[in-house]
Amino acid sequence: MTALIHIVEDDADHRAALCDLIEASGFEARGFASGEAALAARPGPDLMITDLRMPGMDGFALLDAVKARAPGLPVILITGHGDVPHAVRAMRMGAEDFLEKPYDAAHLLAVVDRALRAAATRAELGRLQSELLRKDGSEILGRSAAIEALRARIAALAPLDLDVIITGETGTGKELAARALHLASPRADGPFVAINCAALPDSLFEIEMFGHVAGAFPGAQDKPGKLEVASGGTLVLDEVEAMPPAAQVKLLRALQERQVERLGENTPRPLDLRIIALSKTDLRRLSLDDSFRPDLFYRLAGAEIALEPLRALGDDIALLFTHFTGLTARRYGRPPPEISYQFRQQLQRRPWPGNVRELKALAERVALGLELPDAPAVAQDAPQTLTEKVAAFEAREIRAMLERCRGNTERAAQALGIARRTLNDKITRYGIRV
């Protein structure tokens, strides 16, 4: 669907020229001579471009009215040369960007495109957060190629009644992926039962997994095991690589025959369930050296899913961080924290050994004010030599200017008084993400 852009400009010639430029670029444009007329127009736009100095309602008043009515609507200001301090004030009020007259048409269109993309990202984040809240956290959040591939894999496997092995580092969301598989499957209305194989001592594992009947041992009453409880739904075996060898033998038999015998009886009970095994290590490799029974591995591995670590998800790291800070802020009735451009870049450079679990913990601390979002996120050795100190200062100034210019390298180069090519070379040299 073509984006609708409102042009608010009291100069009729400039307004007409802007509308022609916007429409020639594939967007739909509507021009207005005043802010009052733009506010009264229906339907509302996807983006607004407005002059700062206008009779009656000026750009500040229009921006304030727009943000009160539609906080997510991007507004781009056009300012005269002497209005730059006012433009900075407008940015603090929520303007998406500003252009100084005279401006380059290609630059204007690049700003428009970036603003529309940013608005779409914010809207998508809001939608995903709503979905997450509605689906008890079972929705998988992210826009990277790895997350899109994971969603496609889950969508393909969910309707198939296959047992699945999900492998990934600690904290990558293996149980979240398992729950998504369950909810997208024909078994969604059945039970979802999870057992951590590493949390139970060997002596209790078989009782918990297979159950027992009254009299099986002193004081025993009838109790179904996890296999029976999950019948009709999904059983998740977390840290399956820690399952005791004796239990592996009994589980293999139960899966082969799809029936289970409780401890103390000889009557088989039918099972109708899907097994999803979670492992932080490569079960295939463990099966080769008999650390894990090969026959059980091949019984469980009807299909396999490998989860990427958080450090491989790129821009999704900041997306997830914003999601978790928002959830925490709402839970405690606090305003969500402002996350700077520089801090988002720092998030992407962290190694994240604890993956999403570590990210969530940091996001909660930031949302509660226990840690500043502009605090250094990557420990670095302090520069010692003069050359190192100059380089650190230069890198810090470049990052700060990119933050102020919203990542626009052309404007940042102008503000720093250097050529754009020189700035790009320094960005590459210092490993700055734009």
Side-chain angles (χ1 to χ4, degrees):
M1 185 175 178
T2 303
L4 172 62
I5 298 176
H6 283 182
I7 312 293
V8 188
E9 169 63 75
D10 59 314
D11 185 315
D13 292 337
H14 189 203
R15 184 171 67 248
L18 261 179
C19 287
D20 288 344
L21 174 64
I22 293 297
E23 290 188 338
S25 302
F27 303 110
E28 182 182 351
R30 292 186 63 189
F32 302 90
S34 69
E36 293 87 350
L39 288 173
R42 294 291 181 273
D46 299 297
L47 180 143
M48 181 178 289
I49 301 174
T50 178
D51 194 10
L52 186 58
R53 293 183 179 273
M54 296 183 294
M57 177 179 279
D58 65 5
F60 287 125
L62 177 57
L63 175 62
D64 192 50
V66 167
K67 290 302 174 183
R69 182 179 298 181
L73 178 67
V75 178
I76 297 172
L77 285 163
I78 299 175
T79 69
H81 180 72
D83 291 332
V84 173
H86 295 304
V88 172
R89 172 188 162 195
M91 296 285 283
R92 290 172 179 164
M93 292 172 60
E96 189 74 22
D97 213 326
F98 71 90
L99 298 171
E100 187 178 350
K101 296 177 183 177
Y103 54 82
D104 179 71
H107 179 55
L108 167 66
L109 295 176
V111 170
V112 167
D113 184 67
R114 187 175 69 245
L116 287 171
R117 288 177 183 272
T121 298
R122 289 193 296 267
E124 178 69 2
L125 178 59
R127 185 191 70 79
L128 289 170
Q129 288 175 339
S130 298
E131 287 292 315
L132 281 165
L133 292 172
R134 284 200 299 270
K135 295 187 178 183
D136 301 321
S138 62
E139 185 76 10
I140 295 173
L141 182 66
R143 304 166 66 88
S144 65
I147 293 299
E148 293 292 352
L150 174 60
R151 288 198 194 97
R153 182 75 168 157
I154 288 173
L157 293 178
L160 308 178
D161 210 18
L162 294 173
D163 295 333
V164 178
I165 294 176
I166 301 177
T167 307
E169 295 178 9
T170 299
T172 49
K174 296 185 289 294
E175 188 167 335
L176 180 68
R179 189 175 291 275
L181 263 174
H182 171 73
L183 291 177
S185 75
R187 298 180 177 275
D189 293 331
F192 179 84
V193 180
I195 182 170
N196 190 308
C197 300
L200 290 174
D202 293 4
S203 58
L204 295 179
F205 192 92
E206 291 190 31
I207 293 176
E208 287 295 318
M209 183 68 73
F210 303 104
H212 52 75
V213 295
F217 51 85
Q221 302 295 321
D222 279 336
K223 178 186 176 182
K226 297 295 186 182
L227 286 165
E228 278 187 78
V229 172
S231 194
T234 301
L235 175 64
V236 175
L237 302 175
D238 195 7
E239 296 191 76
V240 68
E241 69 275 12
M243 184 181 295
Q248 290 183 33
V249 176
K250 290 194 68 174
L251 177 62
L252 175 63
R253 180 179 178 184
L255 295 182
Q256 286 174 337
E257 300 176 2
R258 291 294 166 175
Q259 58 186 23
V260 64
E261 293 180 5
R262 292 185 188 179
L263 183 65
E265 74 172 359
N266 296 317
T267 305
R269 299 170 184 264
L271 294 176
D272 172 26
L273 79 169
R274 175 188 225 170
I275 301 287
I276 301 179
L278 313 183
S279 177
K280 62 178 180 291
T281 57
D282 185 354
L283 281 184
R284 186 182 297 274
R285 179 176 56 79
L286 294 181
S287 70
L288 294 177
D289 61 11
D290 290 330
S291 300
F292 190 83
R293 288 188 65 94
D295 44 6
L296 178 56
F297 167 76
Y298 288 110
R299 173 62 62 178
L300 293 172
E304 296 178 63
I305 297 176
L307 300 186
E308 293 283 358
L310 179 64
R311 58 186 173 274
L313 299 187
D315 291 341
D316 280 352
I317 297 172
L319 185 85
L320 288 164
F321 187 85
T322 304
H323 168 69
F324 290 131
T325 55
L327 290 181
T328 303
R330 279 199 297 273
R331 188 185 315 135
Y332 291 95
R334 300 170 64 98
E338 290 291 332
I339 308 302
S340 70
Y341 173 87
Q342 182 180 3
F343 189 69
R344 291 197 298 272
Q345 303 309 303
Q346 291 175 343
L347 289 175
Q348 293 191 30
R349 293 195 295 272
R350 286 184 72 148
W352 298 113
N355 291 291
V356 178
R357 195 171 296 154
E358 180 185 356
L359 176 77
K360 184 178 180 182
L362 174 62
E364 290 174 345
R365 293 197 302 271
V366 169
L368 295 174
L370 302 177
E371 187 163 329
L372 297 177
D374 288 319
V378 181
Q380 297 177 344
D381 294 332
Q384 299 298 323
T385 67
L386 178 61
T387 301
E388 290 174 340
K389 290 179 179 179
V390 170
F393 172 80
E394 192 172 45
R396 186 169 62 249
E397 290 300 305
I398 289 173
R399 289 192 183 98
M401 186 56 68
L402 286 169
E403 166 66 22
R404 288 197 290 273
C405 295
R406 304 287 185 90
N408 186 306
T409 54
E410 181 179 350
R411 197 157 69 226
Q414 292 174 352
L416 292 167
I418 59 177
R420 187 175 181 181
R421 177 178 294 180
T422 302
L423 176 61
N424 287 333
D425 289 343
K426 292 179 183 295
I427 287 171
T428 302
R429 184 191 314 157
Y430 297 131
I432 300 171
R433 284 182 168 274
V434 180

